[in-house]
Amino acid sequence: MFSFNSQINVSHLNNIYGDDVTIVKIMFESFLEDSLPIWDDIQAKLQQKNFAVIGGLAHQFKPCFSMIGFPDISPKIHEYELYAKGNPTGEELIRRYNELLPEVAKVKEIVIEELKRMEEEGI
């Protein structure tokens, strides 16, 4: 059995996928290929001052964390989504994005490391 990084909520993953590490690998890949571009798009929209679309993008981005074993981050993204949908000031929306940025970056780093280890172990 693959031994996941201690920061990943393995019991949460087991509840969703059982012991199927292959599905977890697919979800990790999907996070990098499909979800992170949404996060990058949020940043682009902030820079363009196109604040009206950010709530919808955050809504799309929110579920990915639960699906890859970081369920504690999803509520933070949900809070950001709700704030973004409430016609916020751009400055505060950017500040809140920047608060989340290190957590998202850390998850990305962990997922990349885990995928590398999975490849090395032939998963």
Side-chain angles (χ1 to χ4, degrees):
M1 180 69 183
F2 186 78
S3 178
F4 287 98
N5 181 302
S6 63
Q7 294 181 48
I8 296 172
N9 186 330
V10 177
S11 64
H12 181 78
L13 290 179
N14 286 337
N15 284 338
I16 299 172
Y17 309 117
D19 290 338
D20 195 339
V21 179
T22 305
I23 294 177
V24 176
K25 181 181 180 189
I26 291 167
M27 298 315 296
F28 282 177
E29 291 167 342
S30 177
F31 172 75
L32 296 176
E33 296 167 11
D34 303 325
S35 298
L36 282 180
I38 297 169
W39 181 247
D40 294 339
D41 197 23
I42 292 172
Q43 184 177 40
K45 299 304 183 211
L46 289 170
Q47 291 170 348
Q48 298 163 2
K49 300 189 182 324
N50 187 356
F51 305 129
V53 300
I54 291 173
L57 291 170
H59 179 76
Q60 292 174 32
F61 185 60
K62 173 180 56 182
C64 69
F65 291 99
S66 182
M67 296 166 61
I68 60 168
F70 293 89
D72 295 343
I73 297 177
S74 292
K76 296 175 185 180
I77 302 297
H78 181 69
E79 184 179 314
Y80 185 73
E81 170 196 351
L82 293 178
Y83 183 78
K85 288 180 175 179
N87 299 316
T89 65
E91 185 177 295
E92 180 64 11
L93 200 54
I94 292 167
R95 186 192 70 73
R96 289 179 182 219
Y97 177 89
N98 288 333
E99 276 184 4
L100 293 167
L101 200 53
E103 281 188 85
V104 174
K106 182 64 178 172
V107 170
K108 177 183 176 182
E109 179 183 315
I110 290 169
V111 168
I112 289 170
E113 290 171 3
E114 293 300 274
L115 281 171
K116 182 180 177 185
R117 289 184 39 235
M118 288 174 166
E119 287 295 324
E120 290 169 356
E121 292 191 26
I123 297 172

